[in-house]
Amino acid sequence: ADWNMESVMDTSCMFNECHALDTIDPSRWNTPNNTDMRLMFLGCHSLKELDLSSMNTQNVTTMEGLFESCGDLHTLILPERFVGPSVTSTRAMFNLCRALPTLDVTTWDMSSVEDTNHMFAECQALAPLDFSSWDLSRVTESEGMLDGWPNAPESIPGLAH
């Protein structure tokens, strides 16, 4: 979609509970002023592929529940450094993304994140991820972050339990 997104500051709940949404093309969205992506695709059960590679997320402060309950999502293309230095919450970001097979999280800046509760819970198809570059020193909430994820590591370096 050729939507002009440059002045949009809040995309929270934009497609929330769009259960039948099976396709959308945000591949050309430039979002330099967006600060809130909370619950943007929550409950988009039928969505199978999503290309967010052109989104500018460097000013986003919350990604809470961003892809939560996108149970059929199996292809997710994200820009490098998708999680930027302003993000404080990734709570339930991928919770119940049961079909998602892989993610590259190595360039994410997690240094300001405080809440990772249920971030990868029930990600049943997700391959092991490389968390070695993550700075999790500010995380105070991490309950259930890895619950129900068969390929989850036993622990994540730097994450206090």
Side-chain angles (χ1 to χ4, degrees):
D2 285 328
W3 298 355
N4 184 347
M5 301 286 285
E6 289 186 13
S7 61
V8 174
M9 296 177 69
D10 185 343
T11 58
S12 65
C13 300
M14 192 171 185
F15 302 100
N16 188 345
E17 302 298 337
C18 289
H19 302 289
L21 180 70
D22 61 358
T23 184
I24 186 167
D25 182 11
S27 64
R28 292 186 296 267
W29 290 1
N30 182 19
T31 54
N33 296 304
N34 192 10
T35 60
D36 191 344
M37 294 179 77
R38 178 184 35 219
L39 310 175
M40 188 173 175
F41 296 100
L42 171 71
C44 292
H45 305 293
S46 300
L47 196 59
K48 292 177 179 36
E49 298 178 5
L50 191 57
D51 180 353
L52 301 179
S53 60
S54 70
M55 290 188 85
N56 180 335
T57 57
Q58 292 309 295
N59 292 316
V60 173
T61 59
T62 183
M63 293 184 167
E64 183 175 323
L66 178 58
F67 305 106
E68 186 172 5
S69 295
C70 289
D72 286 345
L73 186 64
H74 61 76
T75 301
L76 182 60
I77 302 169
L78 301 173
E80 193 169 307
R81 295 182 179 84
F82 182 65
V83 175
S86 300
V87 175
T88 59
S89 179
T90 56
R91 172 189 285 259
M93 188 173 173
F94 296 99
N95 186 28
L96 298 167
C97 286
R98 293 188 168 118
L100 192 63
T102 187
L103 281 171
D104 180 1
V105 300
T106 57
T107 61
W108 292 7
D109 184 343
M110 299 288 287
S111 63
S112 296
V113 174
E114 299 168 0
D115 185 350
T116 61
N117 281 346
H118 304 285
M119 185 175 180
F120 297 105
E122 300 302 325
C123 287
Q124 296 168 350
L126 191 60
L129 301 178
D130 179 359
F131 298 112
S132 63
S133 64
W134 283 18
D135 172 0
L136 299 171
S137 59
R138 291 195 179 193
V139 173
T140 57
E141 300 287 331
S142 61
E143 182 180 334
M145 181 180 175
L146 309 174
D147 286 358
W149 175 22
N151 294 314
E154 287 186 31
S155 64
I156 297 175
L159 186 64
H161 295 282

